[in-house]
């Protein structure tokens, strides 16, 4: 009789374990898929923004990228512009090498402004650039006090950039990178803002065309003036008188020494002189 309560208690404990174990397994099994499901629904981390200076270096603009990296103001502005959209025009290494003496003469602020002058805060594909003509603001633009804009000009498929400080234009030679929101194009010349350099001299006007001479004047000019017919070519009047005098002297020489000059010889000499006049 005393063993009955113990047996009953053991049976009750076994029954309780049998009932609670399935419930615990069910709750544990449901918890694992729920956690995995929540992890799958978590949004993927956004990709890191492209390194614009690294892209420039790989595209033949290593020297320009180095200058941007050494300018804190220019580098921070480029990095900030990447997320909102930017189009950069980086000079090739050869183009920048020719410009370096002028770059070294600029102040630190001027250097930063020149570097930022080579980018616009809008993403442009090459096709959209070919259809764009006119002035564009750059990353160096800061209100009315700092215009820092250039003009895009297109002739056929050639995209060119002109500034007021240079007679030459910078031409787009290659696409370095083009993936929204960043585009980078290599150009064959450094863009010179008029805010930092003297404006280019205006070309001298072409000379006015020379008016054709009137036809009447041309006809008059081409008409030869009639000349009098002269039987014999005569020298100056002084030469005629000298010739007559020489004839007189010759007549005297032909006369007998010491003899008088015949009258007829003198008359002949006068007649010859008169004919020559």
């Amino acid at each position: 009789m005393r063993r009955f309560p113990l047996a009953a208690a053991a049976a009750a404990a076994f029954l309780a374990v049998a009932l609670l174990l399935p419930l615990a397994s069910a709750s544990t099994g449901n918890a694992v898929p729920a956690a995995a499901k929540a992890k799958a629904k978590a949004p993927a981390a956004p990709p890191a923004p492209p390194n614009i200076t690294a892209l420039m270096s790989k595209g033949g603009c290593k020297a320009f990228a180095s200058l941007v990296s050494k300018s804190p103001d220019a580098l921070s502005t480029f990095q900030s512009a990447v997320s909102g959209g930017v189009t950069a025009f980086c000079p090739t290494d050869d183009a920048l090498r020719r410009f370096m003496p002028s770059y070294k003469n600029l102040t630190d602020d001027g250097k930063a402004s020149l570097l930022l002058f080579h980018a616009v805060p809008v993403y442009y594909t090459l096709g959209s650039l070919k259809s764009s003509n006119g002035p564009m603001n750059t990353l160096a633009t800061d209100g009315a006090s700092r215009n820092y804009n250039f003009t895009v000009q297109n002739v056929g498929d050639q995209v060119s950039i002109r500034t007021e400080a240079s007679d030459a234009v910078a031409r787009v030679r290659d696409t370095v990178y083009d993936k929204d929101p960043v585009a980078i194009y290599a150009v064959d010349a450094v863009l010179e803002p008029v805010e930092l350099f003297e404006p280019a001299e205006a070309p001298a006007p072409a000379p006015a065309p020379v008016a054709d001479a009137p036809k009447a004047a041309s006809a008059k000019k081409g008409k030869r003036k009639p000349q009098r017919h002269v039987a014999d070519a005569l020298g100056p009047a002084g030469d005629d008188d000298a010739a007559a005098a020489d004839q007189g002297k010759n007549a005297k020489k032909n006369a007998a020494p010491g003899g008088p000059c015949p009258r007829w010889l003198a008359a002949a000499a006068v007649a010859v002189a008169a004919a020559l006049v």
Side-chain angles (χ1 to χ4, degrees), residues 70-251:
K70 293 177 181 178
S71 174
D73 292 341
L75 182 60
S76 61
T77 304
F78 267 106
Q79 290 175 339
S80 299
V82 167
S83 59
V86 64
T87 301
F89 302 92
C90 61
T92 61
D93 291 341
D94 290 339
L96 189 61
R97 188 179 300 110
R98 297 190 297 267
F99 184 77
M100 282 306 296
S102 299
Y103 180 82
K104 292 179 180 179
N105 290 331
L106 297 174
T107 63
D108 290 343
D109 184 66
K111 291 176 181 178
S113 297
L114 182 133
L115 297 174
L116 295 175
F117 187 65
H118 286 74
V120 296
V122 180
Y123 166 69
Y124 285 104
T125 64
L126 189 60
S128 60
L129 282 176
K130 291 179 179 180
S131 62
S132 301
N133 284 275
M136 288 187 178
N137 290 335
T138 66
L139 293 182
T141 302
D142 185 12
S145 60
R146 295 163 60 97
N147 286 328
Y148 282 97
N149 54 30
F150 54 65
T151 301
V152 175
Q153 296 178 337
N154 298 296
V155 179
D157 290 337
Q158 181 65 64
V159 178
S160 302
I161 301 174
R162 179 182 295 277
T163 72
E164 296 180 4
S166 177
D167 293 328
V169 297
R171 297 176 176 85
V172 173
R173 294 303 188 189
D174 191 20
T175 299
V176 175
Y177 182 85
D178 184 2
K179 186 176 181 181
D180 193 4
V182 177
I184 305 173
Y185 304 101
V187 293
D188 61 0
V190 175
L191 306 180
E192 301 179 21
V194 72
E195 288 80 5
L196 299 177
F197 300 95
E198 294 292 334
E201 295 182 0
V210 179
D212 296 335
K215 293 182 179 180
S218 299
K220 184 176 180 182
K221 181 178 181 181
K223 187 177 180 181
R224 298 183 62 183
K225 183 178 181 181
Q227 298 179 352
R228 292 187 303 168
H229 176 72
V230 180
D232 297 321
L234 303 178
D239 294 341
D240 296 339
D241 295 340
D246 291 340
Q247 290 180 2
K249 290 180 181 179
N250 292 333

